Amino acid sequence: MTTNTHSTAALAAAPSIRKVDLEQLDRSLRRPRTLVSFCLSVLCGILALLAALPLLSVLLMLIWRGGARLSLALFTDLPPAAGMQGGGIGNAIIGTLLVVLLAALISIPLGVLGGVYLAEINPEGPGAAVVRFCAKLLTGLPSILAGVFAYTTVVLLTGRFSPLAGGVALALIMLPIIMLTAEEAIRSVGAEMSEAAIGMGATQTQVVWHILLPTAAPGILTGVLLALARGAGETAPLLFTMTFSDYWLTRHLMEPTASLAVLIFNFSKSPFEAQKEFAWAASLVLVFIVLVLTLGGQALSRQATKMSGL
Amino acid sequence: MSPPTQQREKIARPPTAREHAVDRLFKWVTGIFAGFTALVVALIVILITKQAMPAILKYGPGFVVSRHWDAGKGQFGILPEIVGTMVSSTIGVALAAVFGIAVAVFLTEEFIPRWLESILKNVITLLAAIPSVVYGLWGIFVVIPTIRPGCNWLHEHLGWFPLFSTPLLSVGLLPAALVLTIMILPTVTAISRDAIAAVDPLLREAAFGMGATRWETIVGVTLPTSKRGIYGSIVLGLGRALGETMALAMLVGSANVISPSLFSPADTLAALLANKFPEAASPLDLGALMYAALVLLILTLLVNMGGEWIIRRDSTGNVPGKEAASK
């Protein structure tokens, strides 16, 4: 009885089973119940380890097969023609950077200000509910359909494949990520600060620009970085909006352009060993870009939670 | 964070007329930008439907049940693609559910020290960051050579069984489904982990107090309590699986056939779009692809809306109402 009240008090103090000294429990594996429990624990552990295996395998293959081609020429030369040796993926790197930049220019203003509307201007209105619902739907939109959308709008209107069409397609994928994380980040700013500003005669606009956006900046930036990472890795939306090119981008900009993702797709089907190697090298560069953006976003979000915790 | 100095110098004063005007304008702009999202969703549905209209009028509902895709003869049907999408997604989701829930349990029930937990959690999160096209490449050069001997052994010895009735030449349904599993694993794990972690610790401790073993607690208390979130995670995983494009376009084989064999090449809706769209020549060709895109759009919208709906219903079974929206 005493031990019982004792443990209840301990639980009330810290609601966690960590406090219980499990080692003192008698767990004989000869009993069927404990044996079943033990076996399930082992099985669960094996499944969890198996689930971690693919990432390890992908990273090892990237370093092994992609690293073999790593050189300065990789970043400065054009891809080799069929059956040729040497070359690089310089035009694809530039193409990817350009299209992601275009997508960012479209999606960041729309996403951040849309997030401001959802979190601050009119958070409870029916309009906000509709927008939030549509943003959720866009998150689940198959990326190839974003490409179909950009095709029916930009490509059919301008009559050509271009980085602009690719940028619109990627912006569609990045927009809901940015908007929903921006809303979340702005909402987590304490009400006292904006109330103090309003009390001093600030308009809502001034509150947004001087208080909410600077305070929520790390959270918003997290969303932006994660969205950029997602956009940089997308292939399907670029297949028939930007297509591919074997040459450098010219001044016209409105022409088919290479990208890392489409280069990997095209060269993976190639019968030539040299082109396959470039598919791996391009994957290494692409995964490096994506992982740097993702890890940067995660580090920022940890910092943001730490700041709001203070 | 302190407000900028210029703000501080002015101390308190009412906003000027100009500031009011700017305020109104800014509110309008944010509203328009937010509304843009809704506009885009509407535009996607309208434009794809409009482009698909010639094909819808010409082929009608028969398009969905016809097996032939021959641009030369003007025959189009997407039954093999619908079946392939369903089968590959079902296998992928079933495997991802088993692994995802196991990982979610492993991450929440204190099997391993905290630091190991956070490493495993980050590994699973990073799985989601790898681009689809890289998984496709990895599938071609790693997964297929690894599983081919086992699959062909099954075909040789158990070839009478419909599931193993063809050999695995290179690309096929099974490698595509396996890579799909890895791609949706992070979705299933993250959402079911949140659901399991949200279970009241008192329930768990009550079960321990009654003498239940760890797994009797997990199977009897924790999982049933968090089942709604787990179902939701599986449905949202299904939504991702249906629309997943590149890895499948590279691994599934793009063969317009319906075969009971797991090792046979097949096709999916998204892979069909990725492979055929760049070379679509005639307007009717394009119309048929748009029709397929519309079917895919409707399918994923329904599944995703279903998943969100399941997750947003709280554990007492209430349909999300005003209280849920304000949270």
Side-chain angles (χ1 to χ4, degrees), chain A residues 208-221:
Chain A
V208 167
W209 282 106
H210 296 298
I211 311 278
L212 294 179
L213 286 182
T215 316
I220 295 174
L221 204 57

Side-chain angles (χ1 to χ4, degrees), chain B residues 307-321:
Chain B
E308 288 294 338
W309 184 71
I310 293 175
I311 288 183
R312 280 177 56 197
R313 276 166 56 141
D314 60 27
S315 51
T316 50
N318 286 339
V319 179

Side-chain angles (χ1 to χ4, degrees), chain A residues 17 33 37 41 44-45 57 117 136 140 152-153 172 179 200-201 203-206 209 233 235 240 268 283 290, chain B residues 12-13 15 19 23 26-27 31 37 40 47 102 106 111 129 133 137-138 205 211 215-216 246 250 277 290 304 308:
Chain A
I17 54 168
R33 288 176 61 206
S37 192
S41 296
C44 189
S57 168
Y117 179 82
K136 279 262 168 65
T152 55
T153 50
L172 210 56
M179 190 184 278
M200 289 172 75
T203 62
Q204 212 170 3
T205 307
Q206 288 166 329
W209 282 106
T235 318
F240 39 83
S268 74
S283 300
V290 169
Chain B
R13 59 164 177 76
E19 280 169 340
D23 187 44
F26 178 73
K27 282 179 187 170
T37 315
V40 162
L47 284 176
F106 205 65
F111 281 98
V133 69
L137 190 71
W138 177 73
E205 279 151 19
W215 277 93
E216 283 166 351
M246 291 321 293
M250 293 162 86
F277 214 108
M290 288 293 183
N304 283 325
E308 288 294 338

